[in-house]
Amino acid sequence: EAAVTQSPRNKVAVTGGKVTLSCNQTNNHNNMYWYRQDTGHGLRLIHYSYGAGSTEKGDIPDGYKASRPSQENFSLILELATPSQTSVYFCASGLGGRGDTQYFGPGTRLLVL
Amino acid sequence: QQQVRQSPQSLTVWEGETAILNCSYENSAFDYFPWYQQFPGEGPALLISILSVSDKKEDGRFTIFFNKREKKLSLHIADSQPGDSATYFCAASAGNAGAKLTFGGGTRLTVRP
């Protein structure tokens, strides 16, 4: 069974503060993804990675950085958090390639005050 | 501009009825269409998928109908059960974009007993 975990599960941050969301996968998948989920918008891709050391911009990367220090770990960094970044964030992993299945973590609920 | 659109945003059916969830897309390069199911408090999980070379895909009570000419597809859930109550996301990817998915806004399905 695919296993993707996220921490923290809930986070309250202040405007202008730095926030780091962490993701760990034990599937040995090459690809990892960060999405945010907002009502009416579905899931929108922020950053993704093809393997350790690689990060790529997704569809909405502004205000976010990503880091992939190892095959297992992928972090999303908000250097200067803003209230518009209040959302639910999901990490996913997959083997990559056409028709790939993405396995999602349980999500992190972030509130920026 | 949303490249993948879903309708309706919410749908209520009675137990035993067939639920029909609709999806349309704009990018002619999209050739892989997975549907993800999400229960409250959880991450999405792959339910069923179809490649653009097919016009129908069945898996138990779940069937995808695909119309390439009209750029439309639909998910039919036969004999709906209360346990099917969830949010369903249509997604799409293009062969040349690897595993990068574009999600629709989702349809929240409620099945009443």
Side-chain angles (χ1 to χ4, degrees):
Chain A
E1 180 80 24
V4 180
T5 56
Q6 295 182 231
S7 63
R9 292 296 312 277
N10 294 280
K11 174 74 177 179
V12 179
V14 296
T15 297
K18 182 177 180 178
V19 177
T20 300
L21 306 183
S22 299
C23 178
N24 177 274
Q25 55 105 354
T26 59
N27 311 315
N28 198 30
H29 286 162
N30 292 329
N31 289 15
M32 295 186 75
Y33 310 84
W34 275 108
Y35 296 89
R36 64 177 285 175
Q37 183 175 33
D38 305 284
T39 303
H41 289 280
L43 293 108
R44 292 181 289 175
L45 183 64
I46 306 170
H47 284 289
Y48 59 104
S49 168
Y50 291 123
S54 106
T55 61
E56 306 288 337
K57 292 181 179 179
D59 299 321
I60 53 165
D62 293 347
Y64 302 93
K65 290 172 59 176
S67 174
R68 182 88 182 268
S70 65
Q71 180 82 337
E72 298 79 19
N73 295 295
F74 191 36
S75 297
L76 185 68
I77 303 152
L78 291 65
E79 294 278 6
L80 294 169
T82 69
S84 66
Q85 293 176 313
T86 292
S87 187
V88 181
Y89 291 85
F90 287 98
C91 174
S93 74
L95 285 169
R98 186 168 177 257
D100 178 43
T101 298
Q102 293 187 15
Y103 295 88
F104 285 80
T108 293
R109 189 173 296 273
L110 173 65
L111 173 62
V112 182
L113 300 174
Chain B
Q1 182 184 11
Q2 210 164 18
Q3 292 198 57
V4 178
R5 290 190 173 86
Q6 291 186 244
S7 65
Q9 286 189 318
S10 64
L11 176 66
T12 299
V13 299
W14 293 103
E15 183 175 355
E17 291 185 333
T18 296
I20 300 175
L21 290 66
N22 300 303
C23 179
S24 64
Y25 62 98
E26 298 175 5
N27 188 345
S28 298
F30 286 153
D31 60 1
Y32 171 65
F33 302 89
W35 286 81
Y36 281 77
Q37 180 187 54
Q38 183 182 30
F39 295 106
E42 299 181 8
L46 179 67
L47 178 65
I48 186 172
S49 63
I50 192 167
L51 291 169
S52 60
V53 294
S54 302
D55 55 16
K56 182 180 177 181
K57 176 78 173 289
E58 283 184 86
D59 185 356
R61 297 185 294 110
F62 301 91
T63 303
I64 299 174
F65 293 93
F66 178 70
N67 186 322
K68 188 173 183 176
R69 182 179 62 82
E70 294 188 6
K71 297 180 186 174
K72 290 181 178 179
L73 59 159
S74 60
L75 174 67
H76 291 224
I77 306 175
D79 187 25
S80 296
Q81 302 296 309
D84 296 329
S85 296
T87 299
Y88 293 81
F89 292 99
C90 172
S93 71
N96 61 358
K100 186 180 164 192
L101 291 174
T102 299
F103 284 83
T107 294
R108 177 178 291 184
L109 174 67
T110 301
V111 181
R112 297 204 184 281

